[in-house]
Amino acid sequence: MITVFVAAECQRLFNGTALSAYPFLWSNRSKRSTVFGSGINCLPVAYPLIPDSLYRFLFYVLLLIPGAVKSDTFPLAPLIVMAPDIPGMSEPGESGRDVELVNAVLEACGWEAEFVYQPFGRHIRTFRDLSAADAVMTVPLSLDIPGFSTSAYIWYHNGAFYNASVAGPITTIDDLAGLRAVTFQNGIDILRLSDRVDEFELLLEVTDQTIHARMQLMGRVDVILADGLVVATLDRRIRSDRRFGESWPKELDDFVFYPVFNPTPYKVVFRSEEVATQFDECFDRLSAKGRIVEINSKHIDQYQELLLHRYLGL
């Protein structure tokens, strides 16, 4: 029945504006050919041309069918969820601890979602500026943006990732003084380092976290300030996929992660207050069943050799 609403929904999403005006919204990350990850096919399709009046008629007929529309399946169309592209946490294909948690909760509520991935920070701006998105995940709990917030559903645990054979030990923020460090986009604010920037020899924000590890291995920075699971994921990927001529990491290198920062909670923000409330309820049900712990353990346990059970105390 969803095909009945294709034309009308595309017009709603983009207010009748030509899709060519939004080239950056095209996404082919799912089984559907979608615009903005909406799950609604706005490309030319082989459906018969039906007058809008018939669309409306079929819609009202659907409403009259007992059980055809139920509040516990609201919303009918897939939710468009803005997601950050973060290694090991939230990546295309719904891969990673963060996005798997969100997807599991939405499925528990009986909802389907289409995730649209953008660099961290930009995904929040897109949600704020473009009303077509229904939700945005991985929003710092303290950040106030338009919409309806859930309770915290995930905690990231940022810390210092460094080569103990050439630096350290690093167990407190004070130990970072005089070092060259790189962190993620908005990391200086999120890690509350704004008043301590002058204590570093160098403190950079680089959006693409895959660059962090190579900067460290090449000796450009001494320490990475980021989530432990993220740096562990990137460390493993780089070690298993060395580029031609790369001689690092060296045999004596001893990379260590220490959580010098407190865990950071994140929330989901929805356009709908009802959906936000139901998300929290579904999360609580999954948590009571042990599913939330199961997902967290699945992603964290495989890196315990590096994290040493310091990450979130797990």
Side-chain angles (χ1 to χ4, degrees), residues 62-245:
L62 180 64
L63 292 178
L64 293 174
I65 299 175
V69 179
K70 299 183 292 184
S71 60
D72 60 357
T73 59
F74 175 82
L76 289 176
L79 288 166
I80 305 169
V81 181
M82 300 305 304
D85 193 345
I86 303 176
M89 283 292 197
S90 173
E91 299 181 274
E94 285 67 84
S95 173
R97 182 171 77 99
D98 192 343
V99 71
E100 188 172 330
L101 280 172
V102 173
N103 204 29
V105 175
L106 294 176
E107 288 181 353
C109 285
W111 303 329
E112 182 182 355
E114 291 284 343
F115 294 88
V116 182
Y117 298 87
Q118 291 185 334
F120 179 81
R122 187 189 303 171
H123 77 299
I124 298 175
R125 293 194 296 273
T126 298
F127 172 81
R128 184 182 58 204
D129 298 339
L130 196 66
S131 61
D134 297 301
V136 56
M137 55 181 275
T138 325
V139 179
L141 191 63
S142 60
L143 184 62
D144 185 21
I145 63 174
F148 298 91
S149 299
T150 68
S151 300
Y153 73 94
I154 191 172
W155 279 257
Y156 281 55
H157 205 170
N158 295 299
F161 183 69
Y162 65 99
N163 186 349
S165 64
V166 297
I170 299 174
T171 58
T172 69
I173 297 177
D174 292 336
D175 294 330
L176 299 172
L179 298 180
R180 299 167 300 166
V182 61
T183 189
F184 52 93
Q185 183 69 35
N186 300 326
I188 293 175
D189 288 334
I190 291 175
L191 301 179
R192 300 182 179 180
L193 294 174
S194 301
D195 297 333
R196 310 188 70 153
V197 173
D198 292 340
E199 298 177 13
F200 292 81
E201 178 180 334
L202 177 70
L203 179 56
L204 300 173
E205 286 187 352
V206 177
T207 301
D208 186 352
Q209 292 187 257
T210 60
I211 296 176
H212 295 187
R214 295 192 179 277
M215 291 178 68
Q216 185 179 52
L217 290 169
M218 294 173 68
R220 305 286 177 81
V221 296
D222 304 307
V223 59
I224 298 173
L225 304 179
D227 178 82
L229 185 58
V230 173
V231 293
T233 299
L234 291 173
D235 179 69
R236 178 176 294 181
R237 289 179 184 177
I238 287 179
R239 289 174 184 271
S240 63
D241 186 28
R242 291 185 179 181
R243 296 175 180 175
F244 179 76

Side-chain angles (χ1 to χ4, degrees), residues 29-61:
R29 300 190 189 279
S30 68
K31 295 179 182 179
R32 304 174 182 82
S33 295
T34 64
V35 175
F36 201 61
S38 65
I40 299 165
N41 193 335
C42 294
L43 298 173
V45 290
Y47 303 140
L49 296 177
I50 302 175
D52 287 344
S53 58
L54 182 53
Y55 279 170
R56 290 192 292 271
F57 171 77
L58 291 173
F59 175 74
Y60 290 119
V61 169

